[in-house]
Amino acid sequence: MNQEDKVLTQKYGKDNPFVVPQGYFDSITSVVMDKIPEESKPTVVMGTNVWMRFRPVLLGAASLFVAAFSIIFYLNQQEDKRLQSNHVSTEDLMPSAAYTDIDLTADYAMLDNEDIYSYVSEY
């Protein structure tokens, strides 16, 4: 207890100066309820808007559409980059002018001379 509290306690004491009338809290409920007006305000019924009802569904569908479009666009860009990086011209593949379409096909099929001879000899 600080000095101010001691001075106040010595001057006025510790008695509570406030007094509640006898039986006040027993009848307070009925007194308050009597003061409330009986008539109530009319309730306003709000109509539901069609857009507000289907809004979550539309937002979900729109987000799925955007996600699918983004994924397709991203994968298409990656495919274009991969094709550009793997692009090899026929001039790079042809060491000389004697390189023909048959040679290109054999290289693509990874056939050497022995494989070609074995396929031709079967017929």
Side-chain angles (χ1 to χ4, degrees):
M1 194 181 283
N2 61 16
Q3 188 66 22
E4 293 173 358
D5 289 340
K6 289 180 183 178
V7 170
L8 289 174
T9 305
Q10 288 174 356
K11 186 173 183 180
Y12 296 107
K14 290 190 173 189
D15 293 335
N16 188 359
F18 303 104
V19 179
V20 178
Q22 193 70 17
Y24 177 76
F25 289 108
D26 296 336
S27 62
I28 188 72
T29 315
S30 61
V31 171
V32 171
M33 291 305 286
D34 290 340
K35 290 184 180 181
I36 296 176
E38 288 295 325
E39 70 181 66
S40 62
K41 294 182 181 178
T43 344
V44 178
V45 178
M46 302 281 293
T48 58
N49 190 357
V50 175
W51 288 108
M52 294 306 263
R53 190 170 28 176
F54 291 113
R55 185 177 174 188
V57 174
L58 292 174
L59 288 175
S63 63
L64 285 176
F65 176 76
V66 168
F69 182 75
S70 300
I71 290 170
I72 290 171
F73 182 75
Y74 176 75
L75 292 176
N76 191 19
Q77 291 294 325
Q78 294 299 321
E79 182 69 20
D80 289 345
K81 287 180 184 177
R82 188 179 63 80
L83 289 176
Q84 288 174 358
S85 66
N86 290 341
H87 183 273
V88 178
S89 66
T90 55
E91 290 82 23
D92 295 338
L93 293 175
M94 293 176 40
S96 67
Y99 211 67
T100 62
D101 288 337
I102 295 172
D103 293 327
L104 285 172
T105 306
D107 284 344
Y108 179 75
M110 296 174 43
L111 297 172
D112 58 356
N113 287 341
E114 291 177 16
D115 292 332
I116 293 173
Y117 292 140
S118 66
Y119 285 129
V120 173
S121 66
E122 291 177 3
Y123 295 109

